[in-house]
Amino acid sequence: MSIVNNETTIEILITAEQIAKRIETLGDEIVADAPSDLIIVVILKGSFVFAADLVRELERKGASAQVDFLSLSSYDVGKVSCGSVTVTHDLSEDVTGRAVLIVDDILESGRTLDFARKTMFQRKAASVKTCLLLDKPTQRKVDIEADYVGFTIDPQFVVGYGLDFAKRYRGLPYIGILGPN
Ligand code: IMP
Ligand code: MG
């Protein structure tokens, strides 16, 4: 199905209902392994919508976690990664000795997740697990896999549910592919 948003056609790849259902089962998977003192590290900006739904699902399932935010940047304002990852806004909590769950929007080259994971270990986190809403496994440049993945998708550029193109479309309730116009 396609939707027209500000004169751009967007083809729906994953509906809001499909996302909600998958978050319920992801919540089961995470809760089955989660220690009681979990700290969720939300990678901004792309995963803020996913993280908001996921933390509420975890809370509903009895897993009460702390939440903190780490802003990382690897993309310019287009569709191409510039390669190196930088911290644009750091955590406010100390993760030393903590069980960390990194939550991010999408795993593509793997550079962002690899950087985030290594940063948590450098700061002496006791354990680090990773939960990604989307995975494009064919696009990997770094050898890394996530512990929990919402959906595996083809190597196409997607927007919505937190994901942007040129800083737009983050508020769409579904995940879609931008049309040519
Ligand atoms: P990686 O470092 O190449 O794995 O890329 C991860 C980051 O790139 C994600 O956290 C997103 O911010 C961004 N990204 C990768 N693919 C897409 C996409 O299809 N749409 C929007 N952002 C994307
Ligand atoms: Mg991101």
Side-chain angles (χ1 to χ4, degrees), residues 75 104-106 108-112 136 157-158 163-164:
Y75 267 60
D104 202 2
D105 53 1
I106 182 162
E108 193 175 51
S109 73
R111 290 190 193 102
T112 305
K136 296 184 199 171
F157 196 85
V158 291
L163 291 147
D164 75 311

Side-chain angles (χ1 to χ4, degrees), residues 10 34 41-42 52-53 62 65 87 98 113 116 141:
I10 300 169
V41 169
V42 179
D53 284 340
V87 176
R98 306 292 306 275
L113 191 65
K141 298 276 188 282

Side-chain angles (χ1 to χ4, degrees), residues 8-178:
T8 303
T9 307
I10 300 169
E11 186 197 330
I12 299 181
L13 182 67
I14 307 171
T15 65
E17 291 74 20
Q18 288 172 317
I19 296 169
K21 276 203 171 143
R22 183 65 186 109
I23 287 177
E24 278 185 37
T25 55
L26 266 181
D28 292 331
E29 292 175 36
I30 293 168
V31 165
D33 309 333
S36 54
D37 62 339
L38 193 66
I39 179 163
I40 294 180
V41 169
V42 179
I43 310 297
L44 297 178
K45 299 172 185 165
S47 69
F48 79 106
V49 177
F50 173 46
D53 284 340
L54 187 67
V55 295
R56 285 178 290 179
E57 186 59 32
L58 294 178
E59 198 79 38
R60 271 194 285 276
K61 294 191 150 78
S64 188
Q66 283 186 27
V67 182
D68 202 357
F69 302 94
L70 179 66
S71 299
L72 298 180
S73 171
S74 68
Y75 267 60
D76 294 326
V77 274
K79 296 182 180 178
V80 184
S81 170
C82 61
S84 69
V85 181
T86 55
V87 176
T88 54
H89 188 85
D90 209 339
L91 295 174
S92 58
E93 300 289 329
D94 181 2
V95 297
T96 307
R98 306 292 306 275
V100 172
L101 176 68
I102 295 173
V103 172
D104 202 2
D105 53 1
I106 182 162
L107 182 53
E108 193 175 51
S109 73
R111 290 190 193 102
T112 305
L113 191 65
D114 187 52
F115 178 91
R117 229 177 135 262
K118 283 182 176 151
T119 302
M120 294 305 109
F121 279 125
Q122 273 162 11
R123 296 180 185 185
K124 309 226 170 1
S127 64
V128 182
K129 291 217 168 186
T130 55
C131 177
L132 278 285
L133 174 65
L134 301 171
D135 187 5
K136 296 184 199 171
T138 58
Q139 300 307 95
R140 215 70 93 240
K141 298 276 188 282
V142 175
D143 184 19
I144 188 167
E145 296 305 326
D147 294 295
Y148 311 99
V149 171
F151 302 91
T152 299
I153 62 170
D154 291 337
Q156 53 206 351
F157 196 85
V158 291
V159 295
Y161 199 68
L163 291 147
D164 75 311
F165 170 62
K167 304 188 179 174
R168 290 179 55 203
Y169 306 108
R170 291 194 198 273
L172 297 177
Y174 50 84
I175 293 163
I177 302 162
L178 288 180

